[in-house]
Amino acid sequence: MARDIEDSYEWFFRAEFPQVVRSAYLVVYDREAARDVAQEAFVQVLRHWKRISKYDKPEAWVRRVAIRLAVKVAKKQRTLTPLIEDHDTPATQGMSDPDLARAVAKLPGNQRAAVVLFYFEDRPVSEIADILECSQATAKVHLHRARKRLAELLGEEVLVDVS
Amino acid sequence: MSLDARLKQGLNNLAAPIDVDYELGLVRVQAVARRRERRNVMIAAFAGAAAALALLAGGGRLADMVLGIEAPLPSVDNPNVDEDLGVDETRFDEEGDGDRVVQDDELRVDEALDLSDPRQVDGGRTDIAGLANGSSDYVSTSKPAASETDPTQGKQELPSRSERFESQNYTPVNSSVATSGQATCSNGENGACFEFQARDDDRYVTVDIEDASGAPVYAWVQQNVDGDPQSDGGWTDFCASTSDPIPITPGAVVRIMLDSGTCDGADSSPTNGTITVTFLNRL
């Protein structure tokens, strides 16, 4: 039985870890920090795996922890250092859309997390609310404000709001 | 292209180049989880023993004071919740059974009972940082940072505890070097050498070595502080895992040396495996 639990955790880890690292990166914009965040989240999952493995959506649990940690890191970065300058830097070299990267980096932590979960992970608003530990109305507000801010920064028009 | 389409495509392109070595990640996660489990067992044992002694010595009130260390703390609205990315625990109350969300403060209380804190443990152990800074003893008690004890500075709050981990794999080639007495380090020292860069706020290190054979591997830890090929100061040897966090010089390279030696009464025979180093900013 213990072996089954270990195997199921390894299977879960392999299935979810890469995506969690990438999602964390899109929130913190730092590869090392993203890996630290993802690893910390999976350490916590491992400690409670016997229970979490029985949930309908254990992937939501690990994302809740990872995104929460990532938002904390992102808040600290916002206060202490600019993430990406308003001109091309080594950080934006090679990016296909550096303007987008800079614009998303300027969003507050929760708005950035909502954008990542909605556009990168294709999650519905109900799951975003669950992961961000807020109401669905609040999740929609995060998305609405994020899209409005991004449109201003990128000179784009917001045509349709999220449902 | 609409904003939505641009966001979708742009974020996917941003994240795509991020390399993820999940094998290495899995080993790291398992090593850290095991270490924390060992620490929690020690803390629970200490708290239980302290409560039992208090009951014998002073009766219920003293025992309550001891056990009160583990009393629940305020939850998510606690304004003292640390915002740093530190050791954090959350529980998802999906079952609706009243699980509370545990914040950083609770762990800070638990860490007050951490037996690996040299200030709470009698005797000395190798202090790499002290030795690298010129101490002549190979065994000394680690001193707390000046800001924590200098009375002229008043009582200062400790930073929240954080840890990060890094790993490197070793191969049978490294292992043969380790056991043959040949050298791979530029300093000419025997053994297979693996270097990890400490950051400016890394003050302690622990090491775990997972060998594919399952057997413990002999190794030792040292630092290169001044950047020349030679390692500096003292060293700590161990089998498989270091027993206590080792003080280090922040910002300097930490060297882990696989070497020939004896573990559990048998010659250490590394095959291939992973070295995981955990850096801590405080105990």
Side-chain angles (χ1 to χ4, degrees):
Chain A
M1 177 67 92
R3 185 72 205 166
D4 287 343
I5 291 172
E6 204 178 298
D7 287 346
S8 67
Y9 176 81
E10 283 189 27
W11 181 90
F12 174 78
F13 185 92
R14 287 177 209 284
E16 300 295 331
F17 184 68
Q19 188 77 339
V20 171
V21 171
R22 294 191 175 105
S23 296
Y25 171 75
L26 290 174
V27 176
V28 303
Y29 274 63
D30 181 311
R31 292 178 189 220
E32 285 302 321
R35 267 191 280 267
D36 288 348
V37 160
Q39 282 170 172
E40 178 60 35
F42 277 92
V43 167
Q44 295 185 34
V45 167
L46 180 57
R47 292 187 63 195
H48 303 292
W49 182 242
K50 264 189 194 167
R51 186 169 56 159
I52 295 171
S53 59
K54 295 172 190 159
Y55 292 169
D56 284 338
K57 292 189 178 178
E59 69 274 12
W61 199 96
V62 73
R63 271 166 182 76
R64 173 190 273 221
V65 177
I67 292 292
R68 184 180 158 177
L69 294 173
V71 167
K72 279 188 181 182
V73 172
K75 281 182 182 170
K76 213 169 132 181
Q77 287 172 325
R78 184 177 165 87
T79 312
L80 296 175
T81 47
L83 281 169
I84 294 179
E85 305 290 331
D86 280 329
H87 51 269
D88 282 340
T89 64
T92 56
Q93 267 174 18
M95 285 183 179
S96 57
D97 195 343
D99 291 334
L100 180 84
R102 279 191 283 268
V104 173
K106 287 177 180 172
L107 295 175
N110 276 324
Q111 288 181 20
R112 201 184 314 159
V115 163
V116 169
L117 291 167
F118 190 79
Y119 291 102
F120 178 63
E121 292 215 5
D122 279 332
R123 303 217 168 245
V125 171
S126 56
E127 280 190 35
I128 294 174
D130 188 32
I131 291 169
L132 296 181
E133 295 179 279
C134 62
S135 65
Q136 290 194 31
T138 303
K140 283 186 191 175
V141 166
H142 285 322
L143 277 170
H144 171 74
R145 288 180 180 167
R147 290 167 89 246
K148 193 172 165 206
R149 180 75 180 128
L150 289 169
E152 284 166 11
L153 290 169
L154 296 170
E156 300 252 7
E157 200 179 338
V158 180
L159 293 172
V160 179
D161 211 341
V162 298
S163 56
Chain B
M1 186 188 288
S2 69
L3 177 62
D4 285 341
R6 187 176 175 185
L7 277 168
K8 200 165 175 57
Q9 185 179 333
L11 290 176
N12 273 292
N13 289 342
L14 263 177
I18 304 300
D19 288 328
V20 180
D21 185 341
Y22 60 78
E23 291 292 351
L24 199 56
L26 182 60
V27 170
R28 286 181 188 178
V29 163
Q30 288 169 333
V32 172
R34 265 196 297 275
R35 176 169 291 279
R36 289 188 192 171
E37 196 56 43
R38 283 200 298 269
R39 185 185 71 172
N40 290 342
V41 166
M42 280 170 59
I43 289 170
F46 180 79
L53 280 172
L55 267 173
L56 286 171
R61 189 169 174 210
L62 191 54
D64 284 346
M65 285 170 64
V66 170
L67 291 172
I69 291 172
E70 295 186 11
L73 290 175
S75 64
V76 291
D77 294 327
N78 186 340
N80 294 323
V81 168
D82 187 51
E83 287 293 308
D84 287 338
L85 175 59
V87 177
D88 186 15
E89 300 222 14
T90 58
R91 294 186 201 173
F92 181 47
D93 188 18
E94 185 169 269
E95 294 163 3
D97 59 358
D99 280 351
R100 60 192 170 81
V101 176
V102 176
Q103 297 296 333
D104 290 341
D105 294 75
E106 184 159 328
L107 290 169
R108 222 177 279 132
V109 169
D110 285 343
E111 287 147 21
L113 304 175
D114 192 338
L115 293 181
S116 58
D117 183 340
R119 288 166 284 183
Q120 297 184 38
V121 178
D122 284 336
R125 67 179 201 283
T126 306
D127 179 342
I128 290 178
L131 292 166
N133 289 332
S135 166
S136 59
D137 289 330
Y138 263 61
V139 176
S140 64
T141 302
S142 178
K143 294 175 189 167
S147 63
E148 296 171 30
T149 58
D150 186 347
T152 64
Q153 293 193 19
K155 200 172 176 182
Q156 290 193 359
E157 253 186 60
L158 294 175
S160 63
R161 190 172 183 275
S162 67
E163 54 186 45
R164 64 180 184 87
F165 24 103
E166 294 187 15
S167 296
Q168 291 187 39
N169 293 330
Y170 62 88
T171 65
V173 172
N174 302 129
S175 302
S176 71
V177 167
T179 52
S180 69
Q182 297 172 33
T184 55
C185 290
S186 56
N187 58 5
E189 290 174 9
N190 292 343
C193 179
F194 298 86
E195 295 189 332
F196 296 82
Q197 178 65 54
R199 295 180 189 168
D200 290 342
D201 56 353
D202 293 327
R203 285 183 158 67
Y204 298 87
V205 71
T206 63
V207 187
D208 296 273
I209 302 178
E210 297 266 347
D211 193 85
S213 67
V217 168
Y218 178 76
W220 39 286
V221 184
Q222 203 169 17
Q223 273 198 287
N224 185 357
V225 177
D226 54 14
D228 71 6
Q230 299 297 322
S231 294
D232 307 300
W235 51 275
T236 300
D237 65 345
F238 61 95
C239 285
S241 296
T242 52
S243 53
D244 297 312
I246 302 168
I248 59 170
T249 299
V253 169
V254 172
R255 278 185 174 153
I256 312 298
M257 311 282 293
L258 296 190
D259 202 351
S260 53
T262 305
C263 288
D264 290 351
D267 288 339
S268 169
S269 299
T271 57
N272 56 280
T274 304
I275 303 169
T276 301
V277 164
T278 305
F279 289 103
L280 303 108
N281 67 331
R282 57 166 279 228
L283 295 175

